[in-house]
Amino acid sequence: MAKAIKGFKPDFLWGGATAANQVEGAYDKDGKGLNTADMVKYIPKEERGIHNFSMDVTADYIEDVLAGKVDDRYPKRDGIDFYHHYKEDIALFAELGFKVFRLSINWSRIFPNGDDAEPNEAGLQFYDNVFDELKKYDIEPLVTLSHYETPLELSRKYNGWYDRRVIGFFTKYAETVFTRYKDKVKYWLTFNEINVMTHSPYTGGGVLVDKLPNKTKDQIAYQAVHHQFVASSLATKLAHEIIPDVQVGCMLARMETYPHTNNPDDILEAQHQNDLNLFFTDVQVKGEYPSYMNRYFAENNITVEKETGDDEIIKQYPVDFISFSYYMSVTVSTQGKHDEVAGNMIKGGVKNEYLETSDWGWQIDPKGLRVALRDFHNRYGKPLFIVENGLGAFDKVEEDGSIHDPYRIDYLKKHIEQMKEAVKDGVDLMGYTAWGPIDLISMSTSEMSKRYGFIYVDQDDDGNGTLNRSKKDSFDWYKNVIATNGEEL
Ligand code: BGP
């Protein structure tokens, strides 16, 4: 009889997750080229609506910005200046007791235009410095190759991932960084939230849909993401050739979807929405397009152009583990019920009467994380890694400088409790990197006030502030969670 599993394994990888375009800043320093995130302007919530997002950009807008005709502000160009604060920030992560730190390499720091013949040495050196700093504290880097940071020139010259030639530029970038950091990085992710392409082709792949007026967004997105599937498999192949004990993961924004009622139509719609979300991990884990997508493609006039060998490459080089982000669950109704409930930028759905929502309308569902973990385990049977989870919230700095964030502790405590239940259910969970361990620029709204961190950063939505770092109450709480390997919550 197998021994009952009590809790997280001894080498469980506790840590935090960031993205270059949301923390680094220095958008034009040391040879870095512009990337797609550098073109995303800040829109105040009064104009945008707190539940709405500002991520999409048009080809004309890009040219106007480059021609100096526009006077907008781009918070992701400055981030929280991790580029100059990385030693201080990593020391704080070490104080928390991190075993792992998730970051992305800014592709346009390495190849400024994306299709350059040679890499930018200053960019390569920056990440050598970051990995060396992490090594000082025995913190493992978990590196995302592409986290919404497509080099802007690839958008302007090729229309991003819609053009198959970007596969070659990406694999050259991957081979360059695998070779450079083969002794420093063993955990790699290829595309962050690869499913976001179908919701925002600009964010997911630097694709300018306004350049393709005769094609539907779905047609454009599924063609572009096919190129990313091929590129991800080729990168996985290269990683295993270059780095001996490498582990390569895919990365999905998991949108666990529930039926609003026990009406069979609601059940079928939830199953369909879950399939559309898990399509991306089906391809990257099982190594082939699932048959249920043939019907969806046919009914939506989507034709994915493949080249000879694509299917074989995808089949031959699946990922070693599955990583995903989890913030909320989604509820769908086929009975004409429509509430104004914001989801992630992915989908809103209808109100779930049993759940609370965050300040940004995201429905908080800790048990949904256990559901998602069990679903992944039963569907794939591969190791899992939660690489994003957290609560974006308004924080208040008290007169004495303290910051009390019991709401964040409550959110994380409840999600970690459910992770432990999933582990007891038999799920093979590698680690957990809380999203935004240090306050950073929101991906979907470019706000600073949507804070996730255990560490507060003094900067407001207009970019004013000292950038001073300070600890919130949740800092010591998470430090203890890690110190007790998740036993004390
Ligand atoms: C995910 C992204 C992260 C992060 C997170 C929180 O989609 O992978 O980059 O930003 O969302 O979203 P937001 O920053 O919009 O609150």
Side-chain angles (χ1 to χ4, degrees):
M1 180 65 177
K3 191 163 58 67
I5 299 166
K6 283 202 151 324
F8 299 107
K9 55 188 185 178
D11 58 350
F12 191 76
L13 292 168
W14 294 99
T18 61
N21 77 90
Q22 296 173 254
V23 294
E24 282 182 0
Y27 79 101
D28 59 352
K29 295 291 181 296
D30 298 337
K32 174 183 169 290
L34 289 170
N35 65 32
T36 48
D38 293 326
M39 290 288 132
V40 177
K41 69 183 178 187
Y42 173 68
I43 304 174
K45 65 171 77 63
E46 298 71 40
E47 288 173 43
R48 169 175 40 85
I50 189 163
H51 288 177
N52 298 325
F53 311 118
S54 65
M55 295 182 301
D56 286 329
V57 164
T58 62
D60 290 346
Y61 180 75
I62 290 171
E63 297 314 314
D64 287 350
V65 174
L66 297 177
K69 294 180 186 168
V70 181
D71 183 24
D72 289 320
R73 205 169 65 77
Y74 309 95
K76 292 173 181 174
R77 293 186 178 188
D78 302 315
I80 57 165
D81 197 25
F82 177 78
Y83 192 78
H84 297 105
H85 287 254
Y86 72 90
K87 292 188 177 180
E88 172 191 0
D89 295 344
I90 290 170
L92 286 166
F93 301 154
E95 198 180 329
L96 280 163
F98 279 16
K99 316 289 187 209
V100 66
F101 173 55
R102 181 185 175 215
L103 68 156
S104 66
I105 292 177
N106 220 326
W107 183 354
S108 59
R109 258 193 220 293
I110 313 301
F111 288 95
N113 301 293
D115 61 358
D116 314 76
E118 296 305 322
N120 168 37
E121 175 53 33
L124 289 166
Q125 187 56 53
F126 170 65
Y127 295 103
D128 263 322
N129 299 343
V130 170
F131 299 145
D132 293 346
E133 200 65 22
L134 289 168
K135 182 70 181 161
K136 274 188 201 170
Y137 302 100
D138 280 333
I139 300 174
E140 279 290 345
L142 166 58
V143 179
T144 312
L145 286 169
S146 180
H147 195 133
Y148 303 150
E149 295 143 359
T150 306
L152 188 67
E153 284 312 296
L154 293 183
S155 282
R156 297 178 73 211
K157 288 165 66 175
Y158 303 90
N159 202 3
W161 279 93
Y162 188 70
D163 188 313
R164 190 177 172 92
R165 287 173 291 180
V166 176
I167 295 174
F169 302 138
F170 179 81
T171 49
K172 180 175 178 180
Y173 156 57
E175 185 168 16
T176 302
V177 295
F178 290 153
T179 305
R180 176 75 172 228
Y181 308 122
K182 65 180 183 300
D183 301 320
K184 299 181 179 180
V185 182
K186 70 176 188 182
Y187 295 108
W188 295 87
L189 305 178
T190 53
F191 294 94
N192 179 70
E193 299 192 326
I194 192 167
N195 53 303
V196 164
M197 178 77 83
T198 56
H199 303 277
S200 176
Y202 179 77
T203 304
V207 183
L208 298 159
V209 294
D210 53 309
K211 277 184 168 175
L212 298 157
N214 305 324
K215 294 186 182 295
T216 65
K217 180 176 162 187
D218 252 1
Q219 171 60 44
I220 295 167
Y222 282 101
Q223 184 61 58
V225 84
H226 174 70
H227 297 150
Q228 290 189 338
F229 286 145
V230 173
S232 181
S233 293
L234 288 172
T236 303
K237 172 179 180 288
L238 284 164
H240 281 281
E241 288 166 354
I242 297 166
I243 307 173
D245 57 349
V246 76
Q247 293 281 295
V248 180
C250 57
M251 199 292 197
L252 179 81
R254 179 66 181 116
M255 301 305 288
E256 188 68 42
T257 301
Y258 302 152
H260 185 247
T261 70
N262 53 14
N263 180 323
D265 287 339
D266 282 357
I267 311 296
L268 277 169
E269 178 59 18
Q271 186 177 48
H272 174 56
Q273 291 299 332
N274 278 311
D275 276 344
L276 285 182
N277 185 231
L278 295 168
F279 157 66
F280 300 87
T281 35
D282 282 352
V283 174
Q284 292 191 284
V285 179
K286 294 182 177 178
E288 57 192 30
Y289 277 61
S291 56
Y292 61 79
M293 279 310 270
N294 299 333
R295 177 170 182 172
Y296 183 77
F297 286 160
E299 291 179 352
N300 291 278
N301 302 316
I302 296 163
T303 306
V304 175
E305 300 293 338
K306 295 182 181 180
E307 286 196 359
T308 309
D310 284 0
D311 286 334
E312 290 70 19
I313 289 164
I314 289 169
K315 186 70 181 171
Q316 197 173 349
Y317 303 104
V319 292
D320 304 305
F321 67 94
I322 299 162
S323 81
F324 64 101
S325 60
Y326 178 89
Y327 292 95
M328 68 188 83
S329 61
V330 178
T331 296
V332 290
S333 168
T334 58
Q335 307 307 306
K337 179 174 166 40
H338 292 287
D339 302 328
E340 185 38 44
V341 175
N344 198 335
M345 91 294 290
I346 296 198
K347 59 193 294 100
V350 299
K351 179 97 186 87
N352 181 326
E353 293 83 0
Y354 299 94
L355 301 179
E356 303 298 315
T357 55
S358 76
D359 295 334
W360 271 261
W362 293 13
Q363 296 191 98
I364 298 170
D365 183 8
K367 287 181 179 163
L369 177 54
R370 181 180 176 191
V371 172
L373 285 163
R374 287 162 62 122
D375 280 351
F376 273 127
H377 180 73
N378 296 336
R379 193 170 180 127
Y380 303 118
K382 280 208 173 181
L384 304 175
F385 206 134
I386 299 167
V387 295
E388 290 183 26
N389 174 246
L391 178 68
F394 292 110
D395 289 332
K396 179 174 179 287
V397 182
E398 305 297 338
E399 287 298 307
D400 64 1
S402 61
I403 298 145
H404 308 303
D405 54 345
Y407 38 84
R408 181 167 296 110
I409 293 171
D410 184 59
Y411 177 100
L412 293 167
K413 167 183 159 57
K414 285 177 175 161
H415 283 80
I416 294 171
E417 282 168 347
Q418 294 306 318
M419 279 160 49
K420 199 186 294 183
E421 289 307 310
V423 167
K424 292 176 183 174
D425 294 335
V427 165
D428 178 0
L429 189 56
M430 296 165 69
Y432 173 83
T433 53
W435 174 254
I438 184 168
D439 292 346
L440 42 67
I441 303 296
S442 160
M443 185 278 295
S444 55
T445 67
S446 290
E447 291 169 304
M448 190 67 206
S449 53
K450 188 176 187 186
R451 298 175 185 277
Y452 284 87
F454 307 109
I455 300 159
Y456 185 89
V457 174
D458 176 30
Q459 179 173 253
D460 64 18
D461 285 341
D462 297 322
N464 306 312
T466 63
L467 290 177
N468 286 348
R469 277 76 162 137
S470 55
K471 297 172 184 174
K472 306 178 192 175
D473 290 354
S474 55
F475 185 99
D476 287 338
W477 172 81
Y478 193 52
K479 179 177 177 179
N480 188 52
V481 170
I482 296 174
T484 62
N485 195 27
E487 285 311 303
E488 287 179 17
L489 299 177

